[in-house]
Structures are given as structure tokens and as C-alpha cells.
């Protein structure tokens, strides 16, 4: 099972064992990671799953599609490495991925 490391701005870390095939948002909400709400259930229409992804994983993920880009524009504190984590599917090659939670979502 791939491990995802969710990190709050304070440095508090939540290490989650995720299942391949689920979304990173589902891995977060299923483990009560704070700051990731997933209000729309993963249909890319709320941006409450906004996060920052560390390299090298950010580069591995490819580019967001047009819908995700649009939603990211309305996210709280968007940055260079912003993604909506409901649009990221957990896979073995993402093991150890660092996902940072925006301060404004806590
Ligand atoms: Fe709503 Fe990701 S859960 S956009």
C-alpha cells in the first residue's frame, strides 16, 4: 500500500496508508486529515480538496485538466504546485508523496 504524507503548515504530519485506485482526497477524508473536506465528493466542483504537492511527485502527476485548472483559480491561496487531490489517483509510484495542506483551509 502506498504511503501518503499529509503535512499541515505547523509541521504536523499525518501518514496515511492509501489504497491504489482511490483518490488522494479519499485517502485524506477516510483518515480524518484536517483541512481536506472533499465537499463535492470528488466531482471537481468545490476545491475544498486543494493541496500543494512536493517534487518530484508534482512533476510525476502530469498537468491538471481544464476543469481542474478552472477550479484551482478559485481555490484558497493557489500556488505553483497546487492540485485538487480528488483528481489524483493513488498508485504505487506515488509511495511517500508529500501533500501539503494550505493554511487557509484549516
Ligand atoms: Fe471537490 Fe475535489 S473534492 S473539487
Amino acid at each position: 500500500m502506498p504511503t501518503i504524507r499529509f503535512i499541515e503548515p505547523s509541521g504536523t504530519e499525518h501518514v496515511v496508508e492509501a489504497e491504489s485506485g482511490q483518490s488522494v482526497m479519499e485517502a485524506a477524508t477516510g483518515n480524518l486529515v484536517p483541512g481536506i473536506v472533499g465537499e463535492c465528493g470528488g466531482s471537481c466542483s468545490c476545491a475544498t480538496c486543494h493541496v500543494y504537492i512536493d517534487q518530484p511527485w508534482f512533476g510525476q502527476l502530469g498537468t491538471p485538466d481544464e476543469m481542474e485548472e478552472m477550479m484551482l483559480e478559485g481555490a484558497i491561496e493557489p500556488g505553483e504546485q497546487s492540485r485538487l487531490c480528488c483528481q489524483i489517483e493513488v498508485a504505487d509510484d506515488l509511495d511517500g508523496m508529500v501533500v501539503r495542506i494550505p493554511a487557509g483551509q484549516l
Side-chain angles (χ1 to χ4, degrees):
M1 271 197 196
T3 296
I4 309 291
R5 295 167 57 205
F6 294 93
I7 301 179
E8 296 183 39
S10 65
T12 302
E13 193 168 324
H14 306 266
V15 180
V16 166
E17 299 280 319
E19 285 178 37
S20 291
Q22 73 176 164
S23 72
V24 173
M25 179 275 284
E26 290 167 332
T29 56
N31 288 278
L32 305 178
V33 173
I36 299 175
V37 177
E39 198 171 291
C40 74
S43 60
C44 201
S45 57
C46 71
T48 62
C49 65
H50 172 223
V51 293
Y52 311 115
I53 309 288
D54 272 20
Q55 295 287 13
W57 300 279
F58 181 77
Q60 257 174 256
L61 295 174
T63 51
D65 66 18
E66 199 177 325
M67 179 72 175
E68 185 181 346
E69 288 277 14
M70 270 177 49
M71 291 306 298
L72 280 169
E73 285 173 22
I76 298 170
E77 302 162 357
E80 290 288 308
Q81 290 173 212
S82 285
R83 290 297 306 260
L84 297 181
C85 66
C86 68
Q87 301 301 301
I88 303 170
E89 186 176 315
V90 174
D92 288 343
D93 65 349
L94 298 182
D95 186 40
M97 182 165 74
V98 173
V99 176
R100 297 184 187 275
I101 302 161
Q105 282 170 215
L106 291 165

